Amino acid sequence: MQKTIVSLGGMWKARSTDGMYATEVRVPGSLMEALEKDGVFGPEGLFYRENNRKAEDIAKRDFVFSKDIELEASFLEPGLLEASTMGKGFQGAGTPARIFLEADGIDTLATIFVNGKEVARTQNMHRRYRFALNSLLVPGKNSLEIRFANTMDFITRAQEKRKLWHAYWDKPDYATPGFNRIRKSQCSYGWDWGPIVPDIGLWRDTRLVRYEGARLGTPTVHQVHLEGRVELDLNAEAACWLEPDNPLAETGLEFEFELFSPGGVSLSRTRSAPRPGASGASPAVTTRMVVEKPEIWWPAGLGSQPLYRLVVRLFDPAGRLLDERSLTLGLRTLGVRREKDQWGESFAFEANGIPFFARGADWIPEDVYLTRPTRESTERLIADAALANYNCLRVWGGGVYPSDDFYTLCDEYGLVVWQDLMFACAIYDVNDPGFLAEIKAEAADNLERLRHHASMGLVCGNNEMEWGFVEWGFPHTNENRTEYLKQYQFVLPEVAAAAAPDVYYWPASPSSGGDFENPNDSDRGDTHFWAVWHGNKDFKEYEKYYFRFMSEFGFESFPNLKTIGSFTNEEDRNVFSPVMEDHQRCDGGNQKIFAYLSKYFRFPADFASLVYLSQVSQAEAIRHGVEHWRRNRGRCMGAVYWQLNDNWPVASWSSIDYYGRWKALHYEARRCFGNVLLSCPVEGFKAELHLSNEGRSPIAGTVFWILVDTAGTVVRTGSSPAEAAPLSSSLVVKLDFSADLADPSGTLARDRLLFHRFDHADGKISGGAVAFVPAKSLSLRPARLAVRAAPGKGVDVQGRTLLAVSSDVPALFVELDCADRDLLFSDNYFPLDGKTERIITVERGTLESSDIAKVVRLRSLRDCY
Ligand code: BMA
């Protein structure tokens, strides 16, 4: 390939201009992480106790990054495309070799110098940049310098010039005022789950690239799905440096498209010369490829995720390869179906013509140091989402556009992406032409990068701003409202239509379609519902609403005990200690966790029990919502809870904590997001069993229910055959236990539990246990819990350890955990009926059967009092 890349990765020097800090920082990397390594945040680091509070002050400085690089003379030589190869008439003007500085992520306010000469200035961490360097580089040593102006002054000055509202603007402890005045990860300035760590650095790949003659742009692919085949309309364009009047500019280059099957077989290969008139500086071709008997891509739970690979190559007249691009493609149709119906207007993702129930969570940046996550850690997070039966992830608009790996992994795991553009909970300076140009370029650049991904389901203008303007009562002007409409209903949809025409555009989350028209309407569009948690309502509040698509609802809990252990010392382990309050960024969050606990559970006996109960109550809250909306699928077609992950160890709404430890909620998600779900809403002494099936095939099996007392004695039991059509939910059994539960003292119900289970033909089970009184009122008996190697080999076919978990009496929310290691169990925080042993697989982590008894700790609800 005639393209040569010199990576600028590796160690750079960095120093603050006030001489306070000097360090070696990795590229791609984070200045804050480098300073942490130098001990600037203390020996235990940024996350420990309240050390994070030091970061904001560091960010109030300008920093200079510098690096010297050695360049071969050959890298700077003019191109090889000599006249001899270019044929007659080539005058040699516009030598074809060009060298660029390409930077995929510059955080944020940078002035770039090469050998002392200023090359460019940037002010947007969300964009990729390419700057021509031709004459500035020399053979041998070259010095690169990047001066980062501190963003704190920049945003303060901008707010002084024109004050624009944003969330937490009156809570500087929670978020730095003015975070909406710069194109940088907003949550790096603090959020109600994240610390204030406004980082600085080259956070994505940075390189020098030498192209000969031309460079390929990002191809576009438009899919046309027909009976038994898919037509791919392909377009590729190049940037070419031959003088426009040079005839060779017309005919010289050749584009080649090659499509590989999911199995890696080359299915077709075509070459074409630029179409007439699309030559000169931007030669382009359009061609069509037909895939017979296509392997169709489906969201998880509906089918598999076969991925094709399209390679586009650019050749010079001598047949030398000048540049190459490769894209993974899923052959599918994917979008949003909105149709008027008896309830209002539906809102559902639709794949290959089938509207499906979206199940997932909101994704936030994986770490305060954006460069610390690896492909492996991102894959682990996405694999854990898929393990919990997600088929959707919403990339929230207050962070960053994730890495290419993130989207490729969503393609591979079948997680449909709801992609917010990076605008959230703030008003933006849209009438500033510089700002407007910046966000247009940013949106175009990222949509160009994301559009081909099979998982790309929807692009959304912003998080919560249409709703904010209508219901939040923050100070704003008509000009602000006009700017809002201009930004999300004109400018950005136009950019999206040009850059990603096949990706559905939605103006805001929540929205009912735009124009500030009842954006959080429960009968149209998507909805954010915070009456539970922020509104202090009971869990059952969810069951009063039949939203069309839930894109946000949530409940907080503390992270895993081991995670708390990582940032506290002994004396801090009290939820109202300064350290535990610092690792809680939702105002009054720890009090609220406590308040909710008191509604449903008894006062915890110790700190560990409190942490456990906070997670159980979080899981119970979300379960109520998800099960209700799944029972009403068709009317409701999405349950996406706030939030999947954490960017540091903190009390938050996440279901997986910062160290990747599953909370009770993530295990609950795995159950209530399962394709097959048996749910059991209780009203008074009545209960109903509903069977939901989100698969594309019908299911059949048997529903069992057992009413027991807290000693485990069976009071009443029953079963019935049950089946569910594909993509359906229906009531299977109505149960009335008035006769069994009503007694003069009104206390009998405290001594009863209803276990329910659906065994379906393929052996899978769904089920659980419910009570007719709040858990705190149950007269649970102390349970003798036991865990041992499962009968037989004690391992499954994959050699994974199998555990048999049992209890002598009914026990609720049985937790398996280990003090000395992290294990992933096939299920956790589940009920035991006092008779049936549960077989649990250790899906991740090592556990020898000889270690089971001493390593695995068991706890259930009754143990917490
Ligand atoms: C919604 C989200 C986030 C926030 C969350 C929890 O507003 O959009 O901004 O973190 O609620 O409060």
Side-chain angles (χ1 to χ4, degrees):
M1 170 121 75
Q2 302 305 116
K3 180 162 106 174
T4 319
I5 298 174
V6 173
S7 168
L8 296 176
M11 302 314 284
W12 287 55
K13 290 194 171 19
R15 61 180 172 77
S16 61
T17 52
D18 68 353
M20 183 73 177
Y21 297 100
T23 185
E24 291 260 306
V25 61
R26 179 170 296 289
V27 167
S30 138
L31 174 74
M32 294 289 181
E33 187 177 15
L35 294 175
E36 182 180 39
K37 287 206 175 79
D38 298 347
V40 166
F41 297 106
E44 295 94 353
L46 179 89
F47 292 158
Y48 189 66
R49 308 191 80 209
E50 301 174 81
N51 291 347
N52 65 86
R53 292 289 177 185
K54 297 186 189 124
E56 191 171 14
D57 176 64
I58 294 171
K60 293 180 181 150
R61 286 170 176 77
D62 297 352
F63 278 82
V64 178
F65 281 39
S66 56
K67 183 182 179 78
D68 292 342
I69 51 158
E70 288 291 327
L71 291 175
E72 308 287 327
S74 59
F75 184 74
L76 302 171
E77 267 155 19
L80 296 175
L81 285 180
E82 302 310 327
S84 60
T85 53
M86 300 299 288
K88 60 184 186 4
F90 178 69
Q91 307 307 327
T95 50
R98 289 282 163 86
I99 299 171
F100 295 88
L101 169 65
E102 294 186 353
D104 295 344
I106 302 179
D107 183 4
T108 298
L109 301 176
T111 308
I112 301 166
F113 295 85
V114 173
N115 292 333
K117 294 249 175 359
E118 178 174 332
V119 171
R121 291 179 182 225
T122 70
Q123 52 176 351
N124 191 330
M125 79 173 285
H126 301 301
R127 287 177 61 185
R128 299 172 295 179
Y129 290 98
R130 177 178 299 110
F131 304 115
L133 291 183
N134 263 3
S135 54
L136 291 176
L137 296 167
V138 295
K141 189 172 142 234
N142 291 266
S143 73
L144 302 173
E145 189 176 279
I146 302 185
R147 299 183 189 161
F148 287 98
N150 86 75
T151 65
M152 311 299 267
D153 290 355
F154 179 88
I155 61 179
T156 308
R157 279 197 307 273
Q159 281 290 76
E160 279 155 8
K161 234 169 69 200
R162 183 185 183 204
K163 193 156 190 196
L164 295 173
W165 178 88
H166 61 76
Y168 324 119
W169 76 340
D170 54 353
K171 292 196 173 78
D173 271 1
Y174 286 87
T176 310
F179 65 62
N180 53 337
R181 307 311 302 271
I182 187 167
R183 299 313 298 150
K184 179 179 168 60
S185 165
Q186 287 186 187
C187 61
S188 70
Y189 290 101
W191 212 260
D192 60 359
W193 35 260
I196 302 176
V197 184
D199 214 333
I200 294 170
L202 299 170
W203 72 291
R204 286 195 163 140
D205 198 59
T206 310
R207 53 196 173 272
L208 296 177
V209 186
R210 169 198 161 90
Y211 296 94
E212 288 225 9
R215 172 184 59 79
L216 258 182
T218 309
T220 64
V221 182
H222 174 64
Q223 304 187 19
V224 181
H225 285 245
L226 305 162
E227 194 55 43
R229 68 179 211 275
V230 174
E231 294 179 349
L232 299 176
D233 293 339
L234 308 170
N235 180 67
E237 194 167 308
C240 175
W241 304 300
L242 290 179
E243 299 308 329
D245 59 355
N246 183 316
L248 287 173
E250 274 290 329
T251 57
L253 301 178
E254 265 205 325
F255 293 78
E256 181 181 79
F257 296 86
E258 184 167 13
L259 186 71
F260 294 86
S261 73
V265 178
S266 173
L267 294 174
S268 73
R269 194 177 175 139
T270 66
R271 276 212 181 196
S272 29
R275 53 178 186 269
S279 60
S282 318
V285 295
T286 302
T287 187
R288 169 168 294 174
M289 267 184 181
V290 177
V291 185
E292 301 293 347
K293 299 198 187 67
E295 295 179 55
I296 297 298
W297 183 94
W298 287 93
L302 292 172
S304 59
Q305 292 76 36
L307 292 171
Y308 291 73
R309 193 162 63 85
L310 175 72
V311 177
V312 183
R313 300 184 187 93
L314 182 65
F315 293 95
D316 71 12
R320 269 182 296 251
L321 178 61
L322 297 179
D323 200 358
E324 182 175 277
R325 305 292 295 262
S326 168
L327 304 176
T328 52
L329 296 178
L331 302 185
R332 87 292 182 261
T333 61
L334 181 60
V336 171
R337 185 190 290 195
R338 289 169 56 209
E339 277 173 345
K340 297 260 175 292
D341 60 19
Q342 71 263 49
W343 301 295
E345 183 184 71
S346 69
F347 189 98
F349 276 121
E350 182 182 77
N352 307 316
I354 296 190
F356 62 91
F357 191 102
R359 309 162 313 209
D362 297 88
W363 180 93
I364 64 164
E366 295 162 49
D367 199 313
V368 289
Y369 303 149
L370 294 170
T371 46
R372 182 155 52 188
T374 58
R375 189 179 202 284
E376 292 66 38
S377 66
T378 300
E379 174 149 19
R380 167 125 165 206
L381 202 51
I382 288 174
D384 284 1
L387 270 177
N389 296 312
Y390 285 31
N391 59 15
C392 178
L393 276 178
R394 172 173 173 240
V395 177
W396 169 75
V400 293
Y401 298 92
S403 64
D404 295 340
D405 286 340
F406 172 90
Y407 297 99
T408 305
L409 289 162
C410 288
D411 298 346
E412 291 167 5
Y413 283 87
L415 303 183
V416 170
V417 173
W418 172 306
Q419 176 68 50
D420 280 8
L421 297 176
M422 289 303 130
F423 305 100
C425 306
I427 296 176
Y428 299 90
D429 197 7
V430 177
N431 283 346
D432 167 357
F435 184 86
L436 189 62
E438 200 53 69
I439 61 171
K440 286 171 75 175
E442 169 196 317
D445 180 45
N446 282 283
L447 292 174
E448 180 191 301
R449 179 168 71 91
L450 312 183
R451 62 185 172 210
H452 68 277
H453 282 282
S455 56
M456 197 40 63
L458 173 154
V459 168
C460 171
N462 72 81
N463 176 67
E464 292 188 336
M465 278 319 291
E466 190 184 350
W467 185 31
F469 269 105
V470 174
E471 291 189 21
W472 292 4
F474 53 69
H476 65 269
T477 61
N478 279 340
E479 184 191 4
N480 296 150
R481 290 172 79 87
T482 317
E483 283 174 294
Y484 173 92
L485 295 171
K486 178 176 165 186
Q487 184 173 2
Y488 303 112
Q489 298 193 198
F490 293 94
V491 173
L492 291 174
E494 211 173 278
V495 172
D502 294 338
V503 182
Y504 191 89
Y505 178 86
W506 186 239
S509 184
S511 182
S512 300
D515 298 331
F516 302 118
E517 230 230 297
N518 196 0
N520 212 24
D521 183 348
S522 50
D523 298 329
R524 294 174 296 152
D526 70 314
T527 301
H528 290 194
F529 187 68
W530 283 106
V532 177
W533 184 258
H534 286 305
N536 303 317
K537 294 281 185 196
D538 289 357
F539 300 169
K540 281 188 83 64
E541 189 74 11
Y542 289 130
E543 297 172 4
K544 295 182 186 156
Y545 297 90
Y546 301 84
F547 302 117
R548 308 323 302 265
F549 190 103
M550 293 304 306
S551 45
E552 266 197 31
F553 62 109
F555 198 92
E556 278 209 336
S557 71
F558 296 109
N560 186 288
L561 265 180
K562 282 177 277 192
T563 300
I564 293 174
S566 73
F567 65 81
T568 57
N569 59 27
E570 192 51 46
E571 87 210 43
D572 301 327
R573 291 177 204 143
N574 175 305
V575 292
F576 301 127
S577 72
V579 170
M580 287 301 288
E581 298 246 321
D582 183 59
H583 287 251
Q584 165 61 272
R585 294 299 166 101
C586 172
D587 203 3
N590 289 2
Q591 291 76 354
K592 201 184 280 276
I593 289 176
F594 225 81
Y596 267 105
L597 277 188
S598 66
K599 280 184 194 220
Y600 299 100
F601 302 101
R602 294 193 193 174
F603 196 88
D606 53 33
F607 182 71
S609 302
L610 169 61
V611 171
Y612 160 87
L613 283 177
S614 79
Q615 294 198 7
V616 167
S617 84
Q618 179 191 34
E620 280 295 281
I622 302 303
R623 178 180 69 79
H624 274 80
V626 172
E627 290 187 349
H628 166 66
W629 293 313
R630 284 198 59 184
R631 287 191 289 271
N632 291 281
R633 80 157 332 268
R635 184 171 183 178
C636 178
M637 286 300 271
V640 175
Y641 63 78
W642 183 268
Q643 67 201 66
L644 165 65
N645 57 316
D646 282 330
N647 69 346
W648 75 316
V650 67
S652 81
W653 297 267
S654 70
S655 61
I656 297 181
D657 77 19
Y658 173 74
Y659 291 109
R661 298 182 175 118
W662 288 28
K663 296 181 182 179
L665 169 56
H666 210 70
Y667 283 106
E668 179 51 52
R670 188 172 191 170
R671 292 187 288 262
C672 64
F673 279 167
N675 256 9
V676 177
L677 170 70
L678 184 72
S679 68
C680 180
V682 167
E683 208 55 62
F685 292 154
K686 295 193 171 67
E688 295 179 347
L689 295 174
H690 292 249
L691 189 57
S692 307
N693 173 16
E694 283 307 321
R696 285 199 292 138
S697 324
I699 54 165
T702 311
V703 160
F704 296 91
W705 54 271
I706 313 158
L707 183 70
V708 296
D709 67 16
T710 53
T713 315
V714 175
V715 177
R716 197 139 72 84
T717 179
S719 69
S720 79
E723 51 191 47
L727 309 166
S728 73
S729 184
S730 57
L731 169 64
V732 180
V733 184
K734 269 182 181 277
L735 301 166
D736 184 343
F737 295 104
S738 311
D740 310 277
L741 300 175
D743 73 318
S745 69
T747 58
L748 196 51
R750 297 179 189 168
D751 187 52
R752 299 286 184 270
L753 288 166
L754 176 65
F755 284 80
H756 52 91
R757 194 179 81 243
F758 173 67
D759 294 8
H760 57 116
D762 71 1
K764 284 218 201 77
I765 290 181
S766 170
V770 294
F772 300 89
V773 293
K776 68 180 179 180
S777 309
L778 284 168
S779 39
L780 291 171
R781 300 164 193 232
R784 233 194 350 271
L785 302 170
V787 58
R788 61 192 176 88
K793 296 206 189 76
V795 292
D796 69 4
V797 283
Q798 295 163 48
R800 301 179 302 178
T801 302
L802 296 176
L803 305 173
V805 186
S806 62
S807 171
D808 62 340
V809 292
L812 298 180
F813 309 112
V814 174
E815 176 198 56
L816 292 91
D817 196 13
C818 308
D820 67 349
R821 66 195 72 186
D822 287 326
L823 299 179
L824 179 61
F825 300 102
S826 54
D827 198 2
N828 208 347
Y829 304 91
F830 48 80
L832 289 171
D833 62 12
K835 296 203 172 24
T836 325
E837 205 169 47
R838 280 286 312 270
I839 303 301
I840 301 294
T841 309
V842 177
E843 291 184 340
R844 195 187 290 147
T846 319
L847 179 66
E848 301 307 325
S849 47
S850 54
D851 289 337
I852 294 173
K854 68 176 180 290
V855 165
V856 179
R857 260 189 331 214
L858 294 168
R859 178 204 316 267
S860 77
L861 181 59
R862 182 62 186 78
D863 301 313
C864 292
Y865 310 159

